[in-house]
């Protein structure tokens, strides 16, 4: 699945302006997959004409219930599905009697019996069944001539474990095949999971789209199925739909014909059978969307979206890059794309960023639709990387699937790494591959440095319930997974890495694997070319990164020549209770540069190793381009020399490492390994820096200072210092853009222009504020937006912050009328920038009304408001007041949910706030925190750490800023 709650450049900037970082060092905002699961069904009518809810009850047992197979979350291995035949009919108008949107279905599944059994367990969730003549919810037919099917003696729904259970009067015979028929009804709810509905305003009013999101465990909400990734089968799909709508699924449309059902004439579309595949990759969609298409080497590529979006050309960019990226991955994997078509569709309501359904990839609109008049370069980059991410899954994930969800990190980490390679292919000018350092490595460092982090790999037996599976879709799986795979590819060399990858895919095509299978193939590739300098097998080296949480800080003492490692903890006083099989030691590839010359790599595999000593003015810089998943500390002498190089000849240091020096220094200071003042000194050279990555790194880290100090006396002197630092950058952009008339050429330059404006405005640079307010006023007055899409987020936010109700209402009406989601997204974020408490409170209320703020956007809107220093306490009050509602709407297995908790509490740094947080935890113990449970504990851990940090640092930080600001 693609990243969901991605803070794009444009949106991140909004937060910066009002004194709250999108990416405060500690907060997990990177990757979000979230899935809303309505806990309470509040249906009006209990019955539905089409179905008769079963009356059979599970047999009463005297043993403890957990001994029954239907009380276990994992399927027994006795039955193996082979072919499904599914017909589904979603109704795009509500049932006149009940007011419910529903779908009906008939399904059959052919399975082979692998072990004799008199029990059939098949996943089913929230489906109502029609009884067959045997008075049971299914009918069983033997497929081998001469064999007699056992009769069903009882059938019931085991709701907790989500099974349809069928008890038989005799055993199914080993190696015999059977077919199971069912007829069922489900609700086409707006809950963003399973078969669900999305709504939008089109010509002639409200339009309904029926669509799906199966991953990880909601295929069972669309039809009864053996819903585990290793239960691969071939699917024959048929969709019934209204005239004027188009039906899509994984396979190509085989035939659409007119059918009569009752007094209705409808369309029936049959699809070509799928490849052998997992249930979580299925997709069924009925919509009135339009599309554009082209064909590359016999693969038909189509982009679907709302007709008006297609007519406005918003699918053109996606179409233009899909073919080249698909070709790139065919070469990279040395494997032909196995399907005849690749559909991609933009949905108005979609919870994750995107979903890699095989042959029919679904996206949020912002992740697929591009319009030059509205989309920023950041929006464009997001589209390129997310398309690349999903296409990468067509092989890694879809063709070869991990056997169980505990290995999710390999699936998502891999796609999150190679998405940069594919996007680079589409946009070679961007240097997009460098950005993995900011977007994934640095971002996940912040989380993985906590004592409450967790290892990449989980044990299969620990991941059973749907909520446990959902919890795995986190920044560790995505961003740490990507970071360690990038390191692995680097130390093996890309040639060896792809060699192993290719044989892995070839061996397991259409099947399932575990992560050690990939290690095995990479080792084969290593052995093939000779193992070079590797200090162990791929398996041994990678175990240290995969089986223990966290990462090391490598300390290089250039005076004594000793290199050592230690588990890096953001809070050195935090207690690590989780045991590690390697005692928190890693096998670390270390590469470095000495006084500008690149040196070879060496390995650190024990606690310490002897290395070279430096003399004179020589300096050493380790972890070039941050390919290693670790931080680096030095002795004071080397730090001083590095600071000297930064201030006199910063270009000697590669740009990624300039970003690293800043990020490492600030985090080492947080961990009390170096003084905070030393970290602040890494920002002194920024007056001469024009590159994006170091600036971005500095801003990400200074955000923490804003969070801690924007309500204190440090704020003023800090603003003075930062204003002084940013004005040269602001003027640089003013010059190269001819007084803001032109767009800077480079992708990174465009990003840094946004930083220049947002920081200049944020620090109160008058010229900047006048500029952005004038733009906005011109828009309001002339109704033509003069602001370049790249600058909109920051300009809107500044103008709305400076303005009042008039500006806010204008932006709100533009939000409601926006014809492209990326514009709506910018406005939605900027609306949280107002300084009027009543507007912020009203905006918070809007998040409870899905007609005003879509459900998919509710939690991120609350977080935007909390980012605003004035909105912070309002959002916190709001969350507390509405906890049980918010929890039932967004709590189950949702990832945006932990972002919500982290987001509203990230500024917490006082004893009073800590008490409130603990009270909140106690008060809601009964309702619970679901997938946000860890986030609540992390928030408490973070608040305590923040309190200590302020106590230790406030004085020195204040006097440093004061002194630096005076040097104006
Ligand atoms: C399924 O049955 C339950 C219980 O009778 C009912 O509340 C629900 O509305 C039914 N769902 C559908 C989609 O018919
Ligand atoms: C699938 O089922 C439908 C009716 O439910 C039937 O008409 C069709 O022939 C079946 N297709 C296959 C491939 O078995
Ligand atoms: C499961 O839910 C259905 C519908 O809500 C209900 O009819 C059935 O009795 C439940 N099954 C069990 C075992 O509780
Ligand atoms: Zn993914």
């Amino acid at each position: 699945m693609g990243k969901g709650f991605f803070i794009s450049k444009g949106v991140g900037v909004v937060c910066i302006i009002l004194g709250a970082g999108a990416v405060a060092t500690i907060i997990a905002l990177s990757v979000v997959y979230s899935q809303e699961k309505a806990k309470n069904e509040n249906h009006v009518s209990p019955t539905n004409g089409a179905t008769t809810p079963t009356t059979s009850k599970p047999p009463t047992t005297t043993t403890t219930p957990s001994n029954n197979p239907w009380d276990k979350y994992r399927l027994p291995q006795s039955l193996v599905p082979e072919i499904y035949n599914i017909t589904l009919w979603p109704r795009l108008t509500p049932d006149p009697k009940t007011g419910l949107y529903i779908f009906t279905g008939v399904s059959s599944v052919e399975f082979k019996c692998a072990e004799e059994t008199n029990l059939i367990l098949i996943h089913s969730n929230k489906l109502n069944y029609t009884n067959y003549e045997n008075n049971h919810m299914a009918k069983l037919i033997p497929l081998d001539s001469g064999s007699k099917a056992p009769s069903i003696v009882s059938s019931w729904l085991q709701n907790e474990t989500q099974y349809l259970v069928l008890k038989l009067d005799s055993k199914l015979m080993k190696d015999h095949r059977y077919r199971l028929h069912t007829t069922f009804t489900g609700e086409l709810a707006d809950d963003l999971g399973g078969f669900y509905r999305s709504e939008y305003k089109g010509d002639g009013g409200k339009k309904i789209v029926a669509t799906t999101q199966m991953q990880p465990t909601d295929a069972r909400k669309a039809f009864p199925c053996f819903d585990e990734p290793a239960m691969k089968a071939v699917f024959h799909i048929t969709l019934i739909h209204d005239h004027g709508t188009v039906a899509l699924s994984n396979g190509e449309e085989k035939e659409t014909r007119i059918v009569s059902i009752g007094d209705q004439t409808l369309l029936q579309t049959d699809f070509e059978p799928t490849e052998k595949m997992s249930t979580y990759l299925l997709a069924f969609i009925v919509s009135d969307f339009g599309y554009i298409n082209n064909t590359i080497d016999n693969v038909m590529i189509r982009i679907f979206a709302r007709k008006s979006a297609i007519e406005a050309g918003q699918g053109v960019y996606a179409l233009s890059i899909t073919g080249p990226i698909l070709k790139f991955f065919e070469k990279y994997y040395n494997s032909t794309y196995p399907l005849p078509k690749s559909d991609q569709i933009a949905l108005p309501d979609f919870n994750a960023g995107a979903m890699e359904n095989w042959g029919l990839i679904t996206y949020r609109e912002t992740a697929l639709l591009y319009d030059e008049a509205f989309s920023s370069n950041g929006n464009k980059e997001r589209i390129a990387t997310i398309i690349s991410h999903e296409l990468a899954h067509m092989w890694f994930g879809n063709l070869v699937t991990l056997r169980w969800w505990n290995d999710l990190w390999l699936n998502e980490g891999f796609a999150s790494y190679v998405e940069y390679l594919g996007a680079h292919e589409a946009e070679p000018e961007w240097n997009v591959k460098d950005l993995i350092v900011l977007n994934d490595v640095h971002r996940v460092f912040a989380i993985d440095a906590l004592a409450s982090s967790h290892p990449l790999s989980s044990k299969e037996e620990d991941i059973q319930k749907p909520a446990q599976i959902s919890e795995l879709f986190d920044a560790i799986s995505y961003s740490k997974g990507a970071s360690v795979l990038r390191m692995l590819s680097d130390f093996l060399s890309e040639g060896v890495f792809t060699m192993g990858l290719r044989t892995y895919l070839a061996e397991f095509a259409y099947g399932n694997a575990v992560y050690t299978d990939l290690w095995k193939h990479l080792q084969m590739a290593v052995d093939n070319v000779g193992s070079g300098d590797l200090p162990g097998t791929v398996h041994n080296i990678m175990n240290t990164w995969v089986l223990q949480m966290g990462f090391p800080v490598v300390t290089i003492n250039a005076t004594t020549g000793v290199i050592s490692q230690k588990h890096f903890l953001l809070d050195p006083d935090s207690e690590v209770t989780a045991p590690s099989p390697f005692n928190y030691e890693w096998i670390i590839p270390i590469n470095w540069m000495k006084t500008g010359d690149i040196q070879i790599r060496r390995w650190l595999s024990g606690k310490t190793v002897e290395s070279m000593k430096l003399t004179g003015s020589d300096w050493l810089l380790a972890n070039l381009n941050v390919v290693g998943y670790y931080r680096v500390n030095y002795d004071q002498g080397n730090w001083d020399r590095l600071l000297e190089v930064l201030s006199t000849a910063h270009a000697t240091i590669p740009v990624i490492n300039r970003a690293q020096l800043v990020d490492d220094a600030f985090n080492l200071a947080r961990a009390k390994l170096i003084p905070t003042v030393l970290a602040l000194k890494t920002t002194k050279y920024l007056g001469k820096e024009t590159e994006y990555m170091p600036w971005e790194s500095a801003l990400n880290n200074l955000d923490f200072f804003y969070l801690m100090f924007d309500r204190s006396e440090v704020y003023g002197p800090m603003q003075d210092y930062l204003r002084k630092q940013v004005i040269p950058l602001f003027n640089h952009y003013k010059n190269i853009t001819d007084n803001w008339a032109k767009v800077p050429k480079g992708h990174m330059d465009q990003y840094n222009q946004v930083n220049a404006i947002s920081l200049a405005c944020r620090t109160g640079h008058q010229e900047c504020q006048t500029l952005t307010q004038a733009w906005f006023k011109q828009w309001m007055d002339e109704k033509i937006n003069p602001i370049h899409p790249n600058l909109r987020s920051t300009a809107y936010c500044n103008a709305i912050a400076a303005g009042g109700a008039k500006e806010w209402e204008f932006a709100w009406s533009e939000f409601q009328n926006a014809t492209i989601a990326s514009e709506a997204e910018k406005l939605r974020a900027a609306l949280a920038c107002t300084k009027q408490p009543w507007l912020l409170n009203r905006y918070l209320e809007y998040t409870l009304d899905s007609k005003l703020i879509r459900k998919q956007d509710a939690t991120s809107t609350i977080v935007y408001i909390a980012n605003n220093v004035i909105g912070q306490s309002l959002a916190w009050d709001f969350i507390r007041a509405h906890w049980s509602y918010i929890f039932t709407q967004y709590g189950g297995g949702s990832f945006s949910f932990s972002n919500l908790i982290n987001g509203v509490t990230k500024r917490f740094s006082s004893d009073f706030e800590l008490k409130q947080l603990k009270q909140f935890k106690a008060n809601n113990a009964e309702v619970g925190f679901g997938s946000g449970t860890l986030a609540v504990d992390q928030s408490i851990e973070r608040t305590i750490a923040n309190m200590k940090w302020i106590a230790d640092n406030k004085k020195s930080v204040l006097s440093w800023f004061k002194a630096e600001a005076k040097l104006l």
Side-chain angles (χ1 to χ4, degrees), residues 85-87 106 108 110 179 236:
N85 179 3
I86 306 153
T87 302
V106 289
S108 69
E110 290 179 24
R179 188 189 290 135
H236 296 251

Side-chain angles (χ1 to χ4, degrees), residues 93-353:
T93 48
D95 182 285
K97 279 209 295 277
T98 62
L100 285 186
Y101 288 86
I102 62 158
F103 62 91
T104 52
V106 289
S107 164
S108 69
V109 51
E110 290 179 24
F111 58 84
K112 194 168 115 181
C113 174
E115 286 160 32
E116 284 194 350
T117 176
N118 61 356
L119 189 68
I120 297 175
L121 292 183
I122 186 167
H123 282 114
S124 173
N125 187 20
K126 297 187 180 153
L127 296 174
N128 292 342
Y129 289 83
T130 304
N131 283 356
Y132 284 87
E133 54 281 17
N134 60 11
N135 220 7
H136 287 292
M137 286 185 272
K139 193 167 76 181
L140 186 66
I141 292 166
L143 293 176
D144 298 292
S145 55
S147 77
K148 178 180 161 297
S151 302
I152 298 170
V153 291
S154 64
S155 61
W156 72 91
L157 294 169
Q158 194 67 31
N159 299 323
E160 173 60 27
T161 44
Q162 306 178 345
Y163 290 123
L164 165 60
V165 186
L166 305 168
K167 272 202 146 181
L168 308 176
D169 65 349
S170 63
K171 288 194 164 161
L172 298 171
M173 306 223 294
K174 185 166 157 49
D175 293 333
H176 282 225
R177 288 158 68 251
Y178 301 86
R179 188 189 290 135
L180 186 74
H181 285 270
T182 50
T183 301
F184 51 90
T185 305
E187 188 185 346
L188 196 67
D190 60 349
D191 57 0
L192 309 175
F195 206 9
Y196 73 93
R197 78 175 191 276
S198 171
E199 302 182 355
Y200 71 97
K201 259 193 291 177
D203 301 339
K206 184 160 93 173
K207 304 274 185 170
I208 304 289
V209 176
T211 184
T212 52
Q213 169 61 40
M214 306 305 198
Q215 195 187 27
T217 57
D218 277 336
R220 63 191 69 167
K221 212 162 145 265
F223 66 101
C225 56
F226 297 91
D227 198 10
E228 294 192 358
M231 295 285 192
K232 289 193 174 187
V234 171
F235 295 84
H236 296 251
I237 312 284
T238 299
L239 292 173
I240 313 273
H241 52 109
D242 291 331
H243 286 281
T245 62
V246 45
L248 297 171
S249 186
N250 305 78
E252 249 185 320
E253 299 94 296
K254 189 158 62 181
E255 176 181 25
T256 298
R257 59 201 140 98
I258 297 173
V259 292
S260 307
I261 301 177
D263 54 0
Q264 286 176 280
T265 58
L266 296 148
L267 299 176
Q268 171 174 326
T269 300
D270 295 329
F271 296 89
E272 296 290 350
T274 66
E275 300 292 338
K276 195 174 172 210
M277 64 183 283
S278 305
T279 48
Y280 81 87
L281 294 167
L282 289 168
F284 322 123
I285 304 177
V286 173
S287 72
D288 69 342
F289 283 4
Y291 71 96
I292 50 174
N293 67 307
N294 64 25
T295 300
I296 287 180
D297 293 347
N298 295 323
V299 177
M300 178 174 62
I301 298 170
R302 295 184 295 191
I303 307 292
F304 284 86
R306 289 178 288 109
K307 280 204 180 90
S308 60
I310 291 295
E311 280 157 16
Q314 292 172 6
V316 171
Y317 178 65
L319 186 65
S320 75
I321 62 172
T322 298
I325 296 176
L326 205 60
K327 287 283 123 190
F328 167 78
F329 282 122
E330 286 192 330
K331 268 192 276 149
Y332 186 75
Y333 293 128
N334 189 31
S335 170
T336 313
Y337 179 69
L339 310 183
K341 62 115 172 168
S342 171
D343 285 333
Q344 300 184 87
I345 185 165
L347 295 160
D349 298 280
F350 192 77
N351 218 0

Side-chain angles (χ1 to χ4, degrees), residues 23 51 61 86 89 123 140 230 295 311 412 414 430 475 529 548 588 591-592 647 674 734 753 785 807 813 886:
V23 201
T51 59
T61 45
I86 306 153
W89 179 15
H123 282 114
L140 186 66
T295 300
E311 280 157 16
E412 292 306 346
F414 186 87
W430 283 356
V529 298
Q548 59 187 348
I588 310 168
N591 56 13
W592 66 68
S647 73
I674 62 171
K734 189 168 127 183
Q753 182 191 21
N785 192 337
E807 285 73 15
S813 85
I886 291 171

